[in-house]
Amino acid sequence: ACSRKNTRKAALHPLWQSPLTIPGGTRQSPINIQWRDSVYDPFLKPLKISYDPTTCLHIWNNGYSFLVEFDDSADRSTIVGGPLENKYRLKQFHFHWGAINDWGSEHTVDSKFYPAELHLVHWNAVEYPSFEEAVMEGNGLAVIGVFLKLGARHEGLQTLVDALPAVRHKDTVIEFDDFDPSCLIPSCPDYWTYAGSLTTPPLTESVTWIIKKKPIEVDEDQLEAFRTLLFTSDGEEERRMVDNFRPLQPLMNRTVRSSFR
Ligand SMILES: CCCCNCC(=O)NCCc1ccc(S(N)(=O)=O)cc1
Ligand SMILES: [Zn+2]
């Protein structure tokens, strides 16, 4: 039977004015991770993380989140192993969070939201010449996702939090150096992994997601500091940077693998 033309207009998301699901998208992110449906894969290797804190460059507010960017001109801050077939270079990390602690993460676990989620973005420098090229390729990117939960103050995060007032407005940037983001990654080696996409434009289906099972703990003041940032530039009417997470996307024909039993 011929397929009925889909005449329904794609719903637009207030934050990105782009379709919630891209036409023909079969591996979109984020997704709900149903723990009992994930499949243990004994061939998954441990993830090897080697970051050089001197590759840290600056923090900037890009109007979606705040990003900490790294010098990715050489293999100095890299990950290898896990589900990956190549070595991937760290380009940046950023967060997604909610207006209140009941939601904020992009991925959910058994439909539970965390108040925030950290994304460490890496690109396949073995096979591609630049991040921009890798963004367009199915095995171009690897993003480590770490859930944040409300609990004890995180000392490593505090150095970041202390810098946020300087990047309150969109398109502001400050120098930020000597930061080792491995302090934000739980020591527990357990993770889920699946084939997905960027969760903001250009939404390309180029990401191998590696979602850590264990969250890190941050305190209320640290979450509140994220919520003092603005989507808007200096001089515009202020809009608080909150709820910068994409809605859940259909799993479609995908399996989430776990590195643990
Ligand atoms: C739209 C212009 C693109 C220009 N080129 C820059 C670019 O492609 N940037 C994409 C950056 C990005 C977006 C989303 C994630 S997430 N949240 O999935 O980890 C990670 C990284
Ligand atoms: Zn992200």
Side-chain angles (χ1 to χ4, degrees):
C2 66
S3 63
R4 208 166 49 79
K5 176 123 181 48
N6 176 356
T7 51
R8 214 165 51 78
K9 194 149 172 40
L12 292 181
H13 189 274
L15 189 54
W16 295 300
Q17 295 314 315
S18 69
L20 292 181
T21 55
I22 59 170
T26 58
R27 52 174 280 193
Q28 288 290 294
S29 294
I31 60 167
N32 174 54
I33 296 167
Q34 201 63 39
W35 193 314
R36 67 176 176 280
D37 294 344
S38 61
V39 178
Y40 169 60
D41 180 350
F43 298 104
L44 282 173
K45 302 188 186 72
L47 194 58
K48 184 158 175 19
I49 299 169
S50 329
Y51 294 153
D52 172 352
T54 65
T55 56
C56 191
L57 295 172
H58 50 253
I59 306 181
W60 69 292
N61 176 333
N62 72 347
Y64 289 122
S65 179
F66 66 94
L67 310 184
V68 180
E69 292 206 298
F70 289 78
D71 170 7
D72 60 352
S73 57
D75 277 350
R76 292 169 59 196
S77 288
T78 60
I79 58 172
V80 70
L84 306 172
E85 291 178 8
N86 296 123
K87 183 176 280 193
Y88 287 66
R89 269 183 212 165
L90 176 65
K91 164 92 178 153
Q92 50 107 325
F93 69 82
H94 63 274
F95 298 81
H96 303 261
W97 60 91
I100 61 173
N101 297 340
D102 297 345
W103 59 72
S105 60
E106 296 216 293
H107 293 87
T108 54
V109 179
D110 295 344
S111 300
K112 168 196 162 74
F113 282 94
Y114 285 87
E117 183 173 331
L118 160 64
H119 289 158
L120 297 128
V121 183
H122 311 76
W123 58 280
N124 182 341
V126 170
E127 295 195 356
Y128 307 111
S130 71
F131 172 79
E132 300 294 343
E133 299 255 332
V135 162
M136 309 310 290
E137 303 294 334
N139 67 341
L141 303 183
V143 181
I144 298 175
V146 179
F147 295 117
L148 277 63
K149 73 178 248 194
L150 189 60
R153 176 180 153 109
H154 194 294
E155 287 313 324
L157 185 70
Q158 195 56 36
T159 45
L160 258 182
V161 164
D162 291 339
L164 294 185
V167 289
R168 186 158 182 264
H169 291 100
K170 180 180 177 202
D171 297 331
T172 49
V173 61
I174 52 152
E175 193 193 321
F176 190 70
D177 47 33
D178 202 32
F179 183 79
D180 180 352
S182 33
C183 78
L184 300 173
I185 302 174
S187 53
C188 174
D190 296 349
Y191 62 85
W192 290 283
T193 183
Y194 78 96
S197 74
L198 298 177
T199 65
T200 67
L203 300 173
T204 43
E205 299 186 330
S206 53
V207 181
T208 299
W209 280 95
I210 300 166
I211 308 286
K212 299 290 282 186
K213 182 186 81 175
K214 278 274 196 302
I216 57 170
E217 289 193 20
V218 301
D219 72 11
E220 181 62 39
D221 291 343
Q222 294 177 316
L223 286 170
E224 276 304 321
F226 286 14
R227 300 175 184 135
T228 65
L229 294 171
L230 300 175
F231 284 127
T232 42
S233 309
D234 199 352
E236 284 183 328
E237 186 186 350
E238 295 195 351
R239 278 186 301 114
R240 286 185 322 131
M241 184 180 276
V242 293
D243 297 334
N244 57 355
F245 58 93
R246 190 190 190 194
L248 291 171
Q249 301 296 308
L251 183 61
M252 304 189 88
N253 180 29
R254 289 181 284 183
T255 302
V256 177
R257 290 181 288 161
S258 66
S259 71
F260 58 95
R261 273 199 177 287

